[in-house]
Amino acid sequence: MNPFYKEFQNDEDVIQAVRRLQADGVKDDDIYVITHDDDRTKRLTEQAEANQVGTSELGVGTSIKNLFRKQGDELRAQFKELGFSKQEAEQLEKKLDAGKVIVVVKNKTASMNL
């Protein structure tokens, strides 16, 4: 199944959207928050009780490669590991460059409302 995403500008909107997803029955393990800033990502994932892309999603090999990659390359790799195509990952990374926050749901349900 292809991942689903929505972009946000406001951090509070991200937190409310994640809580709606959780209330709709989307598993916490399927909800990811990605930003261009590691501190912002960490803060949002903690407040919303969502996930950030880590070693378990990327695998050890990609995680090690990310240590030597530029931020944009690392973000595109994260999107690809979540199931997006190379082209989609590039487009999403550009949205992050513009200050957007991307909420990704790996397994979209029929009742999901984002």
Side-chain angles (χ1 to χ4, degrees):
M1 178 176 282
N2 289 336
F4 176 82
Y5 78 93
K6 185 168 181 180
E7 60 187 82
F8 296 88
Q9 188 70 39
N10 180 295
D11 290 2
E12 188 57 39
D13 291 342
V14 171
I15 294 166
Q16 290 176 4
V18 169
R19 290 187 178 148
R20 273 194 312 271
L21 289 168
Q22 292 164 333
D24 286 346
V26 177
K27 295 179 184 177
D28 292 345
D29 292 344
D30 289 337
I31 304 170
Y32 293 86
V33 175
I34 304 174
T35 75
H36 211 291
D37 178 302
D38 291 339
D39 291 332
R40 186 179 187 194
T41 300
K42 184 176 180 181
R43 185 177 59 251
L44 281 171
T45 57
E46 287 175 356
Q47 290 176 350
E49 297 179 11
N51 297 300
Q52 52 187 329
V53 180
T55 304
S56 61
E57 293 79 21
L58 296 174
V60 176
T62 302
S63 294
I64 291 171
K65 288 177 186 176
N66 281 346
L67 294 173
F68 303 100
R69 289 179 171 158
K70 294 180 181 179
Q71 180 73 11
D73 295 335
E74 181 180 341
L75 292 167
R76 286 188 294 277
Q78 289 178 9
F79 284 121
K80 286 193 272 186
E81 290 296 328
L82 290 174
F84 292 98
S85 70
K86 180 181 178 183
Q87 183 180 19
E88 290 169 323
E90 289 172 358
Q91 292 171 352
L92 290 169
E93 194 268 328
K94 286 179 184 176
K95 292 175 189 273
L96 296 178
D97 286 343
K100 303 285 185 181
V101 178
I102 305 293
V103 175
V104 177
V105 178
K106 279 180 59 172
N107 296 305
K108 182 180 177 184
T109 63
S111 64
M112 189 180 86
N113 183 21
L114 183 61

